[in-house]
Amino acid sequence: AGSTSTMPPLPMAPEMPAPSQSFLQTGAFSQVNNATRERDRLLKAGIHGVLIVPGLVKGRSYYKVQIGPLPDGITAIKVIAELKQMGFHGFYSVEQ
């Protein structure tokens, strides 16, 4: 007679969320043309990694202009200084 031993199930590691990335958002526009103008202005000024991120807020389409992902705090400080020099003041940090 063969005995079957049942091993208790191994505990599973909790699913780890993907690490978040930091971006600076300079604006959110209801018209893609306005977002494109903002992106082009940033690119022309030498800012790299500028994205237009579409999204919905309360059922309305918005186009967010974001810079990133920023690899570290030092890079973010440099980009913030450049933005302020260009006259941008309404930007903020976004984690995604």
Side-chain angles (χ1 to χ4, degrees), residues 35-59:
T36 301
R37 270 196 291 279
E38 174 125 332
R39 181 200 60 200
D40 292 348
R41 180 177 164 211
L42 291 163
L43 291 171
K44 188 175 180 181
I47 304 289
H48 299 287
V50 183
L51 308 168
I52 295 176
V53 181
L56 286 174
V57 177
K58 296 182 181 177

Side-chain angles (χ1 to χ4, degrees), residues 6-21:
T6 56
M7 296 289 294
L10 295 173
M12 299 296 287
E15 195 171 306
M16 299 298 290
S20 65
Q21 295 179 309

Side-chain angles (χ1 to χ4, degrees), residues 1-95:
S3 68
T4 58
S5 67
T6 56
M7 296 289 294
L10 295 173
M12 299 296 287
E15 195 171 306
M16 299 298 290
S20 65
Q21 295 179 309
S22 297
F23 295 80
L24 289 176
Q25 183 166 313
T26 62
F29 303 90
S30 59
Q31 300 291 318
V32 72
N33 293 344
N34 294 334
T36 301
R37 270 196 291 279
E38 174 125 332
R39 181 200 60 200
D40 292 348
R41 180 177 164 211
L42 291 163
L43 291 171
K44 188 175 180 181
I47 304 289
H48 299 287
V50 183
L51 308 168
I52 295 176
V53 181
L56 286 174
V57 177
K58 296 182 181 177
R60 294 186 62 197
S61 293
Y62 281 90
Y63 303 91
K64 301 175 276 187
V65 179
Q66 297 179 347
I67 302 164
L70 301 172
D72 56 41
I74 294 168
T75 303
I77 290 168
K78 289 178 182 177
V79 173
I80 288 169
E82 290 177 44
L83 290 172
K84 285 183 177 178
Q85 201 169 36
M86 292 173 58
F88 284 94
H89 298 287
F91 55 87
Y92 56 93
S93 181
V94 176
E95 297 289 323

